[in-house]
Amino acid sequence: MEGIISQLFNGISLGSILLLIALGLAITFGLMNVINMAHGELIMIGAYATYVVQSLFIDYLPESMFNWYFILAVPAAFLTAALIGWLLEWTVIRHLYGRPLDSLLATFGAGLILQQAARSIFGAPNVGVQSPALLSGAVEIFSISFPKSRIFIILLVTACVLFMFYYFYKTSNGRRIRAVMQNRDMASSVGISTRQVDSTTFALGAGFAGIAGMALTLIGPIGPTLGTAYIIDAFMVVVVGGVGMLLGTVIAALGIGVFNTGFEYFTNASMGRVLLFAVIILFLQWRPNGLFNLSTRKLD
Amino acid sequence: MGLSKWIGTKQGIFIVLLVLLAVLPLILNDFHTNLLGRYLAFAILVIGLDLVWGYTGILSLGHGIFFGLGAYIMAIYVTTESSGGALPDFMMWSGMTELPFLWELLSNPVAAILLGILLPMAIASLLGFFTFRNRIKGVYFTILTQALVLVTVTLIVSQQRYTGGSDGLSGLSTMFGFSLSSPQTQLFLYFLTLVVLAAVFYFCFKLVNSRFGKVLIAIRDGENRLRFSGYNTAYYKMVVFTLSAGIAGLAGMLYVLQIRIITPTMIDIIPSIEMALWVAIGGRGTLLGPIFGAILANVGTTFFSENYPELWTYFIGLVFIVVIVFLPGGLMSIGNKLKRKRRGSDHEEAEQQAGSAADKHS
């Protein structure tokens, strides 16, 4: 029983990281019909931003302040990744609207460049980010221990997702995003600047990838290829969750996280992956368009 | 048709290329001939990839796996032959006492060669069956092929006692009694690869110009219209995807005999995407372009990545972006543009065909 609960907890914490990564992917795919392979590198950028903030704290501030670096690291990771994402959108992606396969390949190229840049700046070997004392150790509830860092990650993701729901469904910007998603031409003709909606939304999704990168520094060492490990799983979340509805992404991310750790618990890491892939293929037999979808009668 | 005009056609260019490739070993040293032979194996693969991507509009980023399965199966056969029935080292280290069943089966050359083609085809048709009939298409399918790569590579790495794990298989020394390291054997393999390349090109060229090929192009340009006309498009997609996987397996078998090592990193996600890049560089939907793309990109990788590894990565990244964004027709479209400038509107129709391959891919 305890084993199962802590596996479930691990599953949810993995799922919540996937969710943070997949949110940006799902929204930009729904909005602009582009798939961003460089999204993984935006995670990596967020992680290195955290590393830089931490190094600055170590170098310039008294030791007693060190614990608080991660509070500053969250906005730093968000802003750096959002800025690079915005640049990426402006230089590459805006040429590729409505060409998902091409955008996948072109952004893969952009990802290669970003990875190499990270290698040139920070060196190829992984670097470790020291967890703040505040988040090390575990909380024991009914003799089951929950690592504090993972609890923090879950809370962080919950906050981000709540913000996203609010932004998406309650603000005028969110309304514009949904309008463009449903019908770009119509939205444009009633005066929405689709260009601006696209670039801000893309930057926002990139920023969330950056926060995911910050969260990953709490789990293990980081390196230039950090994002690649997560990007395919995040894509699977988009495929399973469907496009255009936040709720689908949330359920799919948590589901994949829980199934993944569950399968790994009962078999082993590689068989777990095979089983997960099989389950996803079977799931798509039932819902080829994912859990939720903006239903239209449009063809092609 | 006059000779000069015939040379300008696809078949003509291909024949010239073949003659050139057949003569090149006279000039090149053994090492470079062997390298070129490996690139020719990639060229075989990209013809198959172009069939699904360029002609049918399905982007597969899983061809590394089909290629890799062919390579692994051939490597297993050669390893058993090289070791003369003894267990390979990595198996002894992981405490195996006798050859596993799969290896026993693959120590038969006929079974190995057949399975090297049939196993990729079987996996491709299975994936195709479960996706195409549900109309899962476009980027969704592409993502699933990528997941297939991830799953298979994880499996290969983890089943170390059967596959050699992340070190792969490297004890490839003799095949049918011939030493694989001797220049004569490698020269023979070079020409064998060249012959297979010619055969595959001829077959695919016939295929895309047949009625079947027209259906493939129609699927790319307007699948729903075709469906409404009563075609079972899922069937066509499955067939072409399976065929392409078989070609990839064949290419993998020829490749591994020339490089004499296969590891999971050679067939992972990044190599699989690079294969798509070669097609894009050469020109999608042209069959001929991808061959040039594969050879040029690999020559570049070999000669620049050793001396300038950092710059090369930046360069490859840029090539990805520039080719996809600004030159969707690839190198072949440059040729066509020049041709049109020179001959007026003569070839406009031909170019439109090549151009639509690039525009209507999704």
Side-chain angles (χ1 to χ4, degrees):
Chain A
M1 189 58 202
E2 285 159 25
I4 291 174
I5 288 181
S6 70
Q7 281 310 310
L8 195 65
F9 176 73
N10 284 345
I12 291 173
S13 102
L14 172 68
S16 59
I17 292 176
L18 279 183
L19 172 57
L20 207 47
I21 299 168
L23 268 182
L25 276 180
I27 293 171
T28 44
F29 183 46
L31 187 67
M32 311 172 214
N33 210 0
V34 295
I35 277 280
N36 179 17
M37 272 295 272
H39 206 69
E41 277 58 53
L42 295 169
I43 303 172
M44 179 267 291
I45 287 166
Y48 274 111
T50 310
Y51 173 71
V52 169
V53 169
Q54 181 227 236
S55 308
L56 289 178
F57 264 68
I58 291 178
D59 288 353
Y60 296 106
L61 287 172
E63 212 166 307
S64 57
M65 297 283 287
F66 177 74
N67 259 328
W68 299 104
Y69 86 84
F70 72 96
I71 301 293
L72 194 69
V74 175
F78 181 88
L79 290 176
T80 326
L83 177 71
I84 307 257
W86 181 79
L87 278 175
L88 185 69
E89 202 272 345
W90 186 62
T91 49
V92 180
I93 290 174
R94 74 191 161 105
H95 301 290
L96 296 167
Y97 285 177
R99 293 161 61 184
L101 295 180
D102 281 5
S103 66
L104 194 157
L105 291 173
T107 50
F108 175 77
L112 280 184
I113 294 177
L114 290 174
Q115 265 183 28
Q116 188 57 44
R119 227 171 269 135
S120 307
I121 299 171
F122 297 101
N126 286 357
V127 293
V129 176
Q130 202 183 330
S131 283
L134 216 60
L135 296 180
S136 50
V139 182
E140 288 220 0
I141 303 169
F142 298 120
S143 75
I144 304 169
S145 63
F146 299 100
K148 278 186 195 161
S149 56
R150 298 216 174 230
I151 295 178
F152 171 74
I153 290 172
I154 294 178
L155 292 178
L156 181 69
V157 174
T158 315
C160 290
V161 172
L162 287 179
F163 168 78
M164 206 63 202
F165 267 93
Y166 175 76
Y167 184 77
F168 210 63
Y169 291 108
K170 298 286 177 201
T171 65
S172 53
N173 269 341
R175 197 158 55 235
R176 283 189 204 109
I177 295 175
R178 282 181 293 135
V180 177
M181 220 181 243
Q182 282 170 15
N183 193 327
R184 176 170 290 267
D185 295 337
M186 194 63 91
S188 166
S189 61
V190 295
I192 294 174
S193 164
T194 55
R195 189 67 209 95
Q196 208 179 347
V197 168
D198 288 338
S199 73
T200 41
T201 314
F202 193 87
L204 192 67
F208 278 120
I211 295 186
M214 185 269 154
L216 286 175
T217 62
L218 296 171
I219 293 181
I222 58 168
T225 54
L226 175 76
T228 10
Y230 292 89
I231 192 74
I232 306 266
D233 283 335
F235 279 147
M236 297 308 267
V237 170
V238 177
V239 170
V240 171
V243 175
M245 303 283 273
L246 291 185
L247 193 60
T249 313
V250 173
I251 297 175
L254 295 180
I256 287 182
V258 170
F259 270 107
N260 197 6
T261 43
F263 285 143
E264 283 183 12
Y265 180 66
F266 289 112
T267 57
N268 56 50
S270 62
M271 276 320 284
R273 282 219 155 272
V274 177
L275 282 175
L276 184 68
F277 183 61
V279 166
I280 288 173
I281 297 275
L282 285 179
F283 170 82
L284 291 174
Q285 305 306 302
W286 173 52
R287 302 211 83 145
N289 291 319
L291 272 176
F292 295 100
N293 211 329
L294 288 173
S295 55
T296 65
R297 308 187 67 170
K298 212 168 85 181
L299 277 169
D300 287 339
Chain B
M1 201 188 306
L3 183 68
S4 64
K5 204 164 184 187
W6 179 80
I7 296 263
T9 63
K10 249 183 221 175
Q11 304 95 305
I13 298 176
F14 185 69
I15 301 275
V16 172
L17 179 70
L18 274 187
V19 171
L20 194 68
L21 287 169
V23 179
L24 266 177
L26 290 176
I27 311 164
L28 297 175
N29 61 28
D30 292 340
F31 175 68
H32 287 149
T33 309
N34 176 252
L35 278 183
L36 191 59
R38 294 178 204 168
Y39 307 157
L40 293 186
F42 283 135
I44 297 173
L45 170 120
V46 292
I47 295 178
L49 191 54
D50 193 28
L51 219 49
V52 286
W53 187 25
Y55 284 91
T56 324
I58 307 165
L59 173 57
S60 159
L61 295 180
H63 267 55
I65 285 310
F66 304 135
F67 180 82
L69 284 173
Y72 261 97
I73 287 174
M74 183 52 100
I76 289 176
Y77 164 69
V78 177
T79 310
T80 55
E81 194 202 293
S82 305
S83 63
L87 280 185
D89 288 344
F90 70 86
M91 280 194 189
M92 292 207 271
W93 292 331
S94 50
M96 306 270 282
T97 48
E98 55 181 30
L99 274 184
F101 168 73
L102 188 69
W103 279 63
E104 205 66 72
L105 176 72
L106 291 177
S107 63
N108 179 340
V110 181
I113 291 172
L114 280 180
L115 272 180
I117 298 174
L118 291 179
L119 188 65
M121 291 177 87
I123 292 180
S125 57
L126 211 63
L127 183 66
F129 176 77
F130 281 115
T131 48
F132 296 140
R133 74 185 179 121
N134 280 317
R135 306 187 185 176
I136 294 173
K137 58 181 182 179
V139 77
Y140 289 90
F141 179 78
T142 305
I143 292 172
L144 289 177
T145 57
Q146 233 175 1
L148 177 74
V149 176
L150 192 66
V151 166
T152 317
V153 169
T154 327
L155 205 60
I156 290 176
V157 172
S158 71
Q159 301 300 311
Q160 204 235 336
R161 48 170 51 193
Y162 302 114
T163 60
S166 49
D167 295 334
L169 300 171
S170 54
L172 280 64
S173 52
T174 63
M175 180 165 185
F176 300 138
F178 294 101
S179 162
L180 283 177
S181 49
S182 86
Q184 286 83 6
T185 317
Q186 286 303 333
L187 194 64
F188 172 76
L189 285 170
Y190 175 87
F191 280 104
L192 179 67
T193 313
L194 194 60
V195 169
V196 173
L197 175 69
V200 168
F201 181 83
Y202 178 78
F203 173 74
C204 292
F205 188 77
K206 283 280 171 215
L207 188 77
V208 297
N209 288 307
S210 69
R211 193 184 152 76
F212 185 85
K214 301 282 177 250
V215 175
L216 297 185
I217 295 171
I219 289 176
R220 180 191 70 198
D221 293 344
E223 189 175 352
N224 283 319
R225 294 186 198 180
L226 202 63
R227 198 178 280 133
F228 298 151
S229 320
Y231 282 89
N232 181 359
T233 54
Y235 162 79
Y236 284 90
K237 285 159 103 174
M238 211 174 100
V239 169
V240 75
F241 186 54
T242 306
L243 185 69
S244 167
I247 293 174
L250 182 66
M253 289 198 284
L254 289 165
Y255 178 75
V256 78
L257 289 174
Q258 301 185 66
I259 194 164
R260 288 184 290 136
I261 180 173
I262 183 80
T263 65
T265 46
M266 288 157 69
I267 60 175
D268 206 348
I269 290 175
I270 292 183
S272 301
I273 297 185
E274 279 177 352
M275 290 167 185
L277 177 69
W278 303 336
V279 176
I281 290 178
R284 284 169 263 181
T286 58
L287 286 188
L288 190 60
I291 300 179
F292 286 105
I295 296 176
L296 286 180
N298 278 291
V299 169
T301 308
T302 309
F303 289 98
F304 294 102
S305 70
E306 278 166 18
N307 301 327
Y308 312 97
E310 285 200 11
L311 273 180
W312 178 249
T313 314
Y314 285 122
F315 179 70
I316 276 285
L318 262 181
V319 168
F320 256 103
I321 298 173
V322 170
V323 168
I324 300 284
V325 176
F326 299 107
L327 197 65
L331 291 176
M332 291 297 277
S333 68
I334 297 181
N336 277 329
K337 269 178 196 152
L338 290 178
K339 213 185 276 174
R340 191 165 60 156
K341 259 189 194 155
R342 225 177 28 211
R343 296 188 190 168
S345 58
D346 231 21
H347 283 250
E348 206 147 19
E349 201 180 331
E351 197 199 345
Q352 268 167 3
Q353 269 177 1
S356 71
D359 298 334
K360 295 271 185 159
H361 48 79
S362 53

